[in-house]
Amino acid sequence: MTSYHPHLVEVAWASTVIFVVVAGLLSKQPVLINGAFVTVVGGAFIVYSSLIDINPFHLLNHFYEVLLEPRYIDHSLRSSLLLFWVVDLAASILFVLLVAHSGRSSSIHRKFFHLTLSLVFLSGLLIDGPLLALSAALLLSIFIILELFRYHSVPPWGETLNKYLQVFRDHQDGALLLTPLYLLAGVCLPIVFHSPPPPGTPSPIQLFAGVISVGVGDSVAALVGSTMGRHRWPRRKKTIEGSIGMFLSMIFALLFLRPYSASSSLSLFSITIVSIVLTALEAFLANVDNIVLPLVGYALLSWFV
C-alpha cells in the first residue's frame, strides 16, 4: 500500500489482526479486552522500535519527525495539510454528536462522511500521497479496533460508542457496523493497488476512483434521489433522477481532476463510459457498493489511461 514507513503499517496491521483474534477469545469477559489492547499496543511499539533500531522511549520524537519534519515536502505545506485533516475530523466528530443527539439519521446524514473522507483523500492525493497512504492504513486499523470495542461492549467505551454510532446503522449492517469500514476500505482500494507518487508528482487519475465514485457520485445520487427523485428503476429503490445526478457529477469531477492528474490525456469518451458503468452499478447493486464502485472505477480508469 505504501513504501512510506512500511514497517509502521506492517506492525499496525499485524497487531490489529492479533487484537481481533484475542478480543474474540475474550468476548465473554469484555473487561479483559482492555488489558489485551494495552498489551498488544505495547508489544507493537517494542517490535516497531526494534525494526527501525530506535529506543522505545524515543518513539514519540520519531512520530513527530514523521509527521512534522518530512524530508521530501515543504514543512508549511505538510503542516497545512495536517491542519486541514484535523479540521475535517473535528467536523465529523461534531456531526456525530449532533445527529446522535437528535436520535435519528438518514442516508443523507451518512453521506456527510463520504464528503469528509473524500476531502481527506482528495487533498492527500493532490499534495502528499505517501502520507495519505500511511494515514489511511492506520485509520482503517483504528476503525476496526473501535468497532471491536463497540461490538463486544468493552467497558467503559462500548456503551458510549453504541450511543453515538448506532444511530448511523445502515440497512446493510448486522451486529457489526460494517458500512463505515466498507466506505474507508473502498476509498482506500485504489492506493492499495497503486502506491501514490511522491509529492510534486501528479497522481494517476485511477487513484481518484474511490473519491469520484463514492465521495462524489454516490453522494450526489443520494442527495438528488432523496430530494427530487420521482421515478424509480424497476424493482429498485434507487431513482432515475438520482442516477442522472451521479452520472453528471462524476463526469464533471473527472474533467475537473484530469488536468491535475498524470492522466491529462484521458478522453471525454472514456470518462463518459466510466461514468455510465459506475452509475448503472450504483443503481442496481443492493449491497457493498462502497467496495464495488471504487474497484470497478479503478479498473476502468486504468484500462483507459
Side-chain angles (χ1 to χ4, degrees), residues 264-295:
S264 57
S265 61
L266 185 68
S267 68
L268 178 59
F269 172 79
S270 300
I271 289 174
T272 303
I273 295 299
V274 171
S275 300
I276 289 173
V277 173
L278 294 181
T279 298
L281 283 174
E282 193 277 337
F284 292 98
L285 274 177
N287 297 301
V288 297
D289 53 338
N290 287 344
I291 294 289
V292 175
L293 293 180
L295 185 61

Side-chain angles (χ1 to χ4, degrees), residues 24-295:
L25 295 174
L26 298 175
S27 59
K28 294 183 179 180
Q29 297 176 296
V31 70
L32 297 181
I33 296 177
N34 285 310
F37 175 72
V38 172
T39 302
V40 171
V41 170
F45 283 160
I46 293 173
V47 170
Y48 178 66
S49 61
S50 66
L51 287 173
I52 63 174
D53 194 24
I54 192 175
N55 188 313
F57 294 103
H58 296 160
L59 278 177
L60 285 179
N61 185 62
H62 167 72
F63 292 139
Y64 172 82
E65 291 178 350
V66 169
L67 286 176
L68 295 176
E69 295 185 5
R71 295 179 175 84
Y72 62 86
I73 186 174
D74 180 71
H75 174 83
S76 60
L77 187 60
R78 167 67 69 83
S79 299
S80 298
L81 179 63
L82 290 173
L83 177 61
F84 176 74
W85 288 358
V86 169
V87 171
D88 190 277
L89 175 61
S92 298
I93 294 174
L94 178 60
F95 185 75
V96 168
L97 297 177
L98 291 173
V99 174
H101 180 71
S102 71
R104 63 193 186 102
S105 70
S106 65
S107 61
I108 298 300
H109 287 115
R110 289 188 289 272
K111 299 308 177 185
F112 179 82
F113 301 109
H114 289 227
L115 171 64
T116 54
L117 185 62
S118 294
L119 288 174
V120 169
F121 273 76
L122 180 61
S123 59
L125 286 170
L126 291 174
I127 298 173
D128 194 342
L131 178 66
L132 172 68
L134 173 64
S135 302
L138 298 179
L139 184 61
L140 187 55
S141 178
I142 292 171
F143 269 42
I144 292 172
I145 292 170
L146 288 175
E147 175 57 17
L148 284 175
F149 276 117
R150 188 207 63 81
Y151 174 73
H152 291 297
S153 298
V154 178
W157 329 104
E159 183 178 349
T160 300
L161 289 170
N162 266 310
K163 175 183 177 181
Y164 289 107
L165 297 181
Q166 283 284 5
V167 69
F168 293 100
R169 179 179 292 277
D170 188 80
H171 71 277
Q172 302 179 44
D173 293 318
L176 288 169
L177 297 181
L178 295 177
T179 302
L181 295 176
Y182 287 155
L183 171 61
L184 181 56
V187 179
C188 283
L189 275 176
I191 60 177
V192 171
F193 298 124
H194 190 299
S195 294
T201 304
S203 295
I205 194 76
Q206 59 264 38
L207 296 191
F208 295 93
V211 174
I212 296 299
S213 59
V214 175
V216 176
D218 188 44
S219 299
V220 172
L223 180 61
V224 174
S226 63
T227 57
M228 295 183 286
R230 298 293 182 271
H231 306 88
R232 299 189 183 278
W233 291 105
R235 296 184 296 278
R236 298 292 172 184
K237 294 182 178 180
K238 308 291 180 67
T239 67
I240 295 176
E241 291 84 355
S243 296
I244 293 173
M246 178 176 182
F247 171 71
L248 294 175
S249 67
M250 286 192 297
I251 287 182
F252 288 134
L254 284 167
L255 288 174
F256 172 79
L257 286 172
R258 184 173 61 177
Y260 300 102
S261 73
S263 315
S264 57
S265 61
L266 185 68
S267 68
L268 178 59
F269 172 79
S270 300
I271 289 174
T272 303
I273 295 299
V274 171
S275 300
I276 289 173
V277 173
L278 294 181
T279 298
L281 283 174
E282 193 277 337
F284 292 98
L285 274 177
N287 297 301
V288 297
D289 53 338
N290 287 344
I291 294 289
V292 175
L293 293 180
L295 185 61

